[in-house]
Amino acid sequence: MITWAWHRSLTEQDAAEVADLLAEAVPYDEEAGFSTARPDAEPVGELHHLLVSMPPVGSRESPDLDALPDVRVVAYLRLDLVDGVGRVQFVVRPPFRSRGVGTLLVEQLEAEAEGWRAIAGLRALEVWAHGSHPAADRMRMRFGGETTEAVFRTLRMLGGSRPLVGNVNDVRRTPADADSWDLVPGHRDAMSPSDLTVLSRTAEELTLDGGSARAMIGASTDSPGAELATLTLLRGGDEERTELATLIRQALLILQGAGVRMVQSHVPALDDLAVSVARELDLVHDQTDVRYELDLSH
């Protein structure tokens, strides 16, 4: 049904076919909030590409498959090998989904010598699923993967008929570099394009005197209030509940004062204190991003 091959770099033709696949998949996945592969992203570690192909129309296994588009590359996998862990991005061309392509591919990669074992030093796989993609969870259960990290995306309305009440107190405000941090290791590299767009608005870092937590905030300067603002809390590790709640509240008041009407935040889902404070301040859960890991050492 499928064939596949590893490549250390993509030829011009391969790159064009992967780009065509992504041009079809990105809008499809964006509507559902799913992430997608980015083959042109700066490599993290040792980079490997895997192209998955299907026979041409007329030589497939069934009339249903023959009815699908006559394209060579039906799926693409990018693997960045870092300290024995392969960080995976995987996307299937939309018309070929729910056809068993992903499951069959992983079965073959596990069984054949040219599969995962062809990459020297690879001991485990790590993949992010955005929006709790049901197919990703089925794959986790099928192949014995574990959930190792999770991030909640939340939304919070501001202003309007029920504004957040309070005053902006003495909070330290300094310029922030939107690309200088990651809430959870690897999360940013696999985020959906729309989430990255909102996150890229980060402009300020807020801290409290004597505190170790940071709140990263920012809003669109082109049309204040018309688009999502961003707020992300970064913990130092030993903060008390009062510090976290005060810092988030101050961040929300600053954004509300700037005319923002909707704030998107990311909260580490396995951090009980951060989740509890987020709920207390009405940061409403919108989506869960999950990191799965598969041990290949057995």
Side-chain angles (χ1 to χ4, degrees):
M1 177 182 174
I2 62 170
T3 57
W4 45 268
W6 289 107
H7 304 271
R8 292 303 308 276
S9 62
L10 296 178
T11 66
E12 185 174 340
Q13 178 184 352
D14 288 340
E17 295 195 42
V18 171
D20 180 67
L21 182 158
L22 295 177
E24 186 175 358
V26 169
Y28 185 94
D29 290 332
E30 189 71 12
E31 185 175 355
F34 300 148
S35 58
T36 193
R38 296 195 293 275
D40 296 331
E42 190 68 23
V44 180
E46 184 180 289
L47 179 60
H48 299 262
H49 305 274
L50 184 118
L51 301 183
V52 183
S53 302
M54 187 173 286
V57 168
S59 56
R60 296 174 178 174
E61 296 179 354
S62 72
D64 287 344
L65 293 178
D66 277 337
L68 298 175
D70 194 2
V71 292
R72 183 175 68 95
V73 177
V74 301
Y76 167 75
L77 184 149
R78 169 177 167 148
L79 186 147
D80 290 74
L81 182 61
V82 180
D83 296 330
V85 177
R87 300 177 182 176
V88 173
Q89 300 175 39
F90 179 60
V91 60
V92 178
R93 194 182 290 268
F96 293 85
R97 297 181 185 181
S98 300
R99 308 277 180 174
V101 171
T103 301
L104 181 59
L105 174 66
V106 176
E107 288 176 345
Q108 292 182 3
L109 290 174
E110 282 199 328
E112 300 182 20
E114 296 82 8
W116 302 125
R117 286 173 289 173
I119 301 178
L122 180 62
R123 296 180 287 100
L125 301 175
E126 180 182 281
V127 60
W128 279 93
H130 289 252
S132 297
H133 198 305
D137 198 46
R138 288 196 300 271
M139 293 278 280
R140 176 193 65 82
M141 293 187 290
R142 168 69 177 79
F143 296 103
E146 295 184 0
T147 299
T148 57
E149 191 55 84
V151 175
F152 290 152
R153 187 179 73 189
T154 70
L155 297 174
R156 180 36 156 108
M157 293 289 296
L158 292 174
S161 60
R162 300 180 61 185
L164 182 64
V165 178
N167 298 315
V168 176
N169 298 322
D170 293 331
V171 57
R172 186 181 296 108
R173 302 173 64 171
T174 57
D177 182 353
D179 299 320
S180 65
W181 52 271
D182 204 1
L183 178 65
V184 171
H187 184 236
R188 179 193 294 270
D189 292 335
M191 290 176 74
S192 65
S194 60
D195 278 351
L196 282 172
T197 296
V198 177
L199 192 66
S200 70
R201 294 173 185 153
T202 299
E204 284 189 278
E205 176 179 309
L206 311 182
T207 54
L208 301 176
D209 286 340
S212 59
R214 297 177 289 155
M216 316 297 285
I217 65 171
S220 171
T221 57
D222 298 329
S223 51
E227 297 185 62
L228 288 172
T230 184
L231 188 165
T232 300
L233 179 71
L234 304 179
R235 293 191 60 188
D238 58 355
E239 298 85 2
E240 295 184 356
R241 184 184 192 89
T242 301
E243 178 187 346
L244 300 183
T246 299
L247 188 58
I248 293 178
R249 189 175 185 84
Q250 292 295 300
L252 292 172
L253 286 169
I254 289 171
L255 290 170
Q256 180 176 262
V260 168
R261 293 295 174 261
M262 180 71 78
V263 179
Q264 176 176 294
S265 302
H266 286 94
V267 179
L270 303 187
D271 184 332
D272 292 340
L273 179 58
V275 171
S276 177
V277 171
R279 288 172 175 163
E280 175 188 318
L281 293 170
D282 297 323
L283 304 185
V284 180
H285 177 265
D286 179 55
Q287 173 179 297
T288 303
D289 300 342
V290 182
R291 187 178 73 195
Y292 300 117
E293 186 167 309
L294 179 64
D295 183 5
L296 300 177
S297 60
H298 53 274

